[in-house]
Amino acid sequence: MKRSRTTAGAASALAAVVALTGTLAVPAATAVSGAGTPGRSAVATADDAVTHDENDRVPEGAAWTQHYFPSSDGSDVELHADVLLPEDLGADEQVPVILSAGAYFGHSGELAVEGHAHTGPSGRFGDLVEGIDLFDRGYALVLVDVRGYGGSTGCLDFVGPGEQADVAAAIDWAAEQPWSTGAVGMYGKSYDATTGLVGNNLDQDALKAVVAQEPIWDMYDRVRSNGVPRQEGIIAPGTYNTIATLPQLPDDDERYRENSTYEQRHPECLAANTSNTLIADPGTSYWRDRDLARQAAGSDTPLFVTQGFLEWNTRPEGMAEYLANHEGPQRGWLGPWDHVRGNDRDPDGTLKMGREGWFDEIGAFYDQYLKGIEPTTGYPAFAVQDSTGAWRGQDTWPVVERTARIRLGDGSYVDDGGPSEEQDGARSSYVVWSAPVEQATRVVGAPKVALRAQGTGNVLVELHDVAPDGTAVMFDEQAAVLGPGRLDLDLEQTDWTLAAGHRLAVEIGSIQGGSWIDTPSGQTIRVTDARLELPLDDPADDVPTAGGRATWLDAYVAAYTSELPVGGADFRLPPVG
């Protein structure tokens, strides 16, 4: 068959462009302005705190100090921290700590030099400061540069053993300060959400809670799909090499400026960061050291996560494994959005995730686990929005009522990367169809496909939600390099509801779109004994909770809709009610 992928391809290209400018971060809309004024540019030291009146980059109500301490791996890496304490904190008073560790806290800017008139602490989490009235509420905020970034020395280490040692050191340091109660919570989005997952995995007594928005669960999945390179994996090393070598500000203290030039003095760091991410084998020690989902086994720090099922950036791959391995209390907002924070809004004020009360919930979460204050509002453990835009509350995720095991049979395709204008699209893939479902049926968690293939090349498996008129939305996919023997493939994790009367179409073929950088072999691939394992849930059992439709959902549906000529019924989905 031949069908247009122009819109979906444009969406993928747009995502790649966005990734170029912000590979793992979206700067906070409420970040503190860097437009300085004369006389308000004092620089903090460990002993001399600076307030907003003295430096307008310091949040109101806070006192800023700077500190240096060693990492925990026995190396000579020195870490830098910006500390923001309540301005009126007494000499003998102590407060719990909200800690964030990552790459984006350099004084000159997060991703690029931002034109600040003078130095000061990063405003990356100015939204958190305002959203929960952080300092009036009685918390400290500690921002730690992991190795290679900002005011810290050492080679950048992409969530590897060195960076994990930095997180361990940061937790212990924050807990041991005289102004700290010893209770530490971590907070972050994207990169610094991923270091929050690292913190949980380290099993340190001082860490009492983690809030991780849109993290990476397994670092390999960020750069490859079962051997197939992703565009983001090519872009990311250059992005982080750039961040690691950002020039800092002339009025930063000499120690900070000297530390910030470490990567410039050690170009081998940048070379290693680039070459290591080209390692294709996920079984190597490099990638196993960075498989956070596997390392979460037995961990028990209270955890609050967000995850967009339609993410173009930090995808949900590995989330179910991480949550299953994690044994502590779990909370989460999950739904059909992209790379956004729980409080992010569109220009018209509409919440991008669609749910009010982000800071109310995480404020209560931190109060519970860092201060022992029981929440006065009963929140669902997981608030989940599916593809209809409806929110439900449940105790865990995923909830699987039935797993359908479906024989997809045999087929063939040409691994040509998609048809040219004069070619029949049927050569590039083939489709296996379900009968129309008789009731609304939710596909939830990670579907699995197993098959045997003769031929050398790549395979892309896609799931489509097909309306009676043939309008189809691709809602789940996964790519792989074919090898000898049987291929077992986990698709990306999803939460998608097929309306009554809709069909599920399973497409198997050449990689024709998305963010992969594939090399088509041109060979005819013959697939035998393909099987689909499909986890299902019954929407009729949903317990509704408050929330509106994620703004990204409509944009995604528009971008990933195509026309499929409806085929006969090759299989039936079992009833879930």
Side-chain angles (χ1 to χ4, degrees), residues 222-237:
R222 170 67 184 161
V223 302
R224 287 182 183 264
S225 294
N226 306 288
V228 182
R230 290 189 182 275
Q231 291 176 4
E232 300 94 316
I234 303 301
I235 294 167

Side-chain angles (χ1 to χ4, degrees), residues 487-564:
L487 174 67
D488 294 299
L489 193 63
D490 285 0
L491 275 63
E492 293 187 356
Q493 287 154 42
T494 187
D495 200 290
W496 191 276
T497 297
L498 304 172
H502 283 220
R503 295 182 175 213
L504 176 69
V506 183
E507 183 174 7
I508 301 174
S510 185
I511 298 173
Q512 302 180 53
S515 62
W516 292 284
I517 304 173
D518 61 302
T519 304
S521 68
Q523 292 191 16
T524 296
I525 309 297
R526 303 191 185 281
V527 175
T528 58
D529 193 25
R531 303 182 183 211
L532 172 65
E533 187 175 296
L534 200 65
L536 302 175
D537 183 30
D538 184 1
D541 297 334
D542 289 354
V543 177
T545 192
R549 188 177 179 90
T551 59
W552 179 247
L553 179 55
D554 290 330
Y556 177 89
V557 169
Y560 287 91
T561 295
S562 61
E563 297 293 328
L564 288 179

Side-chain angles (χ1 to χ4, degrees), residues 116-139:
H116 295 292
H118 55 78
T119 193
S122 170
R124 175 167 170 77
F125 293 123
D127 56 348
L128 172 70
V129 169
E130 297 178 10
I132 66 171
D133 295 323
L134 189 75
F135 305 116
D136 287 343
R137 200 178 190 119
Y139 286 96

